[in-house]
Amino acid sequence: MSRGLRVAVVGATGVVGTTMLELLRERKFPAREIVPFATERSAGRELEGGLRVEALNGGADLSGFDLALFSAGAGTSRDWASRFVEAGATVVDNSSAFRRDPEVPLVVSEVNPHALERHQGLIANPNCSTMQLMVALAPIHRKAGIERLIVATYQSVSGTGKKAIDELDTQADASLRGTAMPAPQIYPEPIAFNVIGAAGNFADGDDHTDEERKMMFETRKILEDESIGVAVTCVRVPVRVCHSEAVNVQTRDPLSAEEARELLAAAPGVILEDVPTPLRAEGRDEVFVGRIRRDESHPRALSMWVVSDNLRKGAATNAVQIAEVLVERDLLRARHSVAA
Ligand SMILES: NC(=O)c1ccc[n+]([C@@H]2O[C@H](COP(=O)([O-])OP(=O)(O)OC[C@H]3O[C@@H](n4cnc5c(N)ncnc54)[C@H](OP(=O)(O)O)[C@@H]3O)[C@@H](O)[C@H]2O)c1
């Protein structure tokens, strides 16, 4: 007998939340009811499937949820995630709010689902750039041990949310019409027909952006190896959806390009292509890996190109996959579900 779960989607009107709702439908997640939450601005709005947005405020009824999928920014997660947990739900959070907490598992479904066994109500979904990197690199780490990574990301604007997509479109449109581009609101420089060599924000006194720090920290937590060296430059490019990454991986044991190709051809969630592109990867759940080749400057290093849809595998797909594992392994805390 299948069970029906009561699911809250917090941030349901955003680019990740919208994808989350699509995926719950697409993957036939066993939900008997889905309640979309957003700000008061969006309250009452009807979404696809006849769902009506509820405001997440003091009047919101948080009781009776088995699962809450959060993608509404770190501040909202800090304010609200623990309240859902206290009310009995298991929370899968897309923001950076809890990823560094040693008590909170940080999980990529193909890589470390075992970490879910120790959750205490809260599970963190990794940063989108780190997510796709982990799917591509975990098989290599298991086989040959990763000593050091050098990564340059080419991150799409949807990684910053729906307002950033509008900013790219508006600037590109103005430029193509030959009129002045509107001043940037989201990024420090125009993003249309440009490349910004520092994606994310700088904390006081830090010469790395928070996006770069996330990849450095999260890689080690997910691969459970604090000795891995990570050098990363996060870059924003005028692409709507999908992050790309130029990756150089130095292993402890020798691994040929051919062996890496064989490993990745058999890896869950990976598709090998000659030269993956964002336009081909958009709308897909897999991580696309190409250009695997020996780094001629080092005896134990390989270079490759990794592309994936940041809204799907980088965020919503992994969150829903985590929820599926929680259901399969009977790891949801609440028992509000009814027989369907
Ligand atoms: N975009 C990505 O590729 C990606 C990948 C991984 C993780 N994430 C994380 O996912 C989260 C959402 O990102 P996004 O790109 O989907 O952003 P977005 O398009 O700007 O959407 C933000 C969503 O959060 C809601 N929201 C904001 N403040 C809220 C509050 N106080 N209470 C309730 N709802 C609130 C918004 O509601 P309104 O529409 O009512 O304003 C909207 O539904 C962020 O934490 C981000 O770091 C994003």
Side-chain angles (χ1 to χ4, degrees):
M1 185 184 291
S2 66
R3 292 160 68 84
L5 302 174
R6 216 168 157 252
V7 181
V9 175
V10 178
T13 53
V15 283
V16 174
T18 303
T19 311
M20 198 91 80
L21 292 172
E22 273 167 30
L23 277 157
L24 290 168
R25 272 195 298 273
E26 239 178 75
R27 297 176 73 96
K28 299 190 173 19
F29 187 78
R32 83 180 140 91
E33 187 186 359
I34 296 174
V35 180
F37 287 99
T39 66
E40 287 175 17
R41 286 187 299 274
S42 307
R45 213 177 111 189
E46 192 173 315
L47 305 178
E48 223 185 303
L51 298 177
R52 204 165 283 283
V53 176
E54 294 198 13
L56 189 64
N57 58 22
D61 181 5
L62 310 188
S63 63
F65 288 106
D66 300 279
L67 179 71
L69 302 172
F70 266 68
S71 57
T76 309
S77 296
R78 278 191 207 97
D79 289 345
W80 289 93
S82 60
R83 297 192 214 183
F84 274 89
V85 173
E86 278 155 25
T90 301
V91 170
V92 181
D93 181 37
N94 264 287
S95 83
S96 58
F98 307 109
R99 292 180 192 147
R100 282 174 175 262
D101 185 333
E103 301 300 318
V104 176
L106 180 65
V107 175
V108 181
S109 68
E110 295 87 347
V111 176
N112 61 336
H114 56 269
L116 292 172
E117 307 278 344
R118 61 177 182 81
H119 87 83
Q120 294 165 30
L122 203 51
I123 295 145
N125 216 33
N127 162 264
C128 38
S129 304
T130 312
M131 187 90 74
Q132 65 186 67
L133 187 68
M134 294 300 96
V135 175
L137 293 186
I140 292 177
H141 185 57
R142 282 189 205 112
K143 176 77 179 174
I146 294 175
E147 195 165 74
R148 183 177 185 225
L149 291 171
I150 304 170
V151 182
T153 70
Y154 300 66
Q155 296 180 217
S156 69
V157 295
S158 60
T160 321
K162 64 183 172 198
K163 287 185 183 147
I165 305 176
D166 293 343
E167 179 150 306
L168 170 61
D169 287 350
T170 313
Q171 289 174 354
D173 187 55
S175 178
L176 290 170
R177 286 169 190 272
T179 58
M181 276 195 206
Q185 307 286 322
I186 304 292
Y187 299 118
E189 300 277 342
I191 186 64
F193 306 108
N194 206 2
V195 166
I196 302 176
N201 302 302
F202 290 97
D204 279 352
D206 196 353
D207 56 4
H208 284 70
T209 69
D210 52 357
E211 283 290 294
E212 291 161 353
R213 290 281 171 210
K214 287 175 199 170
M215 185 175 283
M216 293 154 93
F217 177 86
E218 294 178 26
T219 294
R220 298 182 188 115
K221 180 166 176 178
I222 295 162
L223 295 181
E224 296 166 350
D225 187 340
E226 288 302 314
S227 71
I228 298 172
V230 183
V232 53
T233 305
C234 287
V235 177
R236 190 72 61 188
V237 294
V239 167
R240 279 209 189 86
V241 180
C242 289
H243 294 345
S244 306
E245 297 170 340
V247 182
N248 183 272
V249 51
Q250 190 177 311
T251 52
R252 296 181 198 285
D253 300 329
L255 185 76
S256 69
E258 194 44 51
E259 286 170 314
R261 250 179 244 119
E262 280 169 21
L263 273 177
L264 292 178
V270 175
I271 293 188
L272 288 185
E273 280 187 353
D274 289 342
V275 186
T277 66
L279 287 182
R280 268 205 310 278
E282 185 174 346
R284 300 285 301 267
D285 289 317
E286 301 89 349
V287 172
F288 295 81
V289 184
R291 301 213 58 210
I292 302 174
R293 61 203 190 279
R294 196 166 74 79
D295 171 355
E296 294 181 355
S297 71
H298 192 283
R300 286 175 285 103
L302 300 170
S303 295
M304 63 187 74
W305 178 244
V306 180
V307 181
S308 188
D309 186 324
N310 52 293
L311 300 177
R312 289 183 72 101
K313 182 61 196 174
T317 301
N318 195 65
V320 176
Q321 286 170 321
I322 286 175
E324 289 168 350
V325 176
L326 293 171
V327 172
E328 277 160 29
R329 300 190 186 178
D330 201 18
L331 290 171
L332 283 171
R333 297 167 66 243
R335 290 290 171 267
H336 306 294
S337 20
V338 292

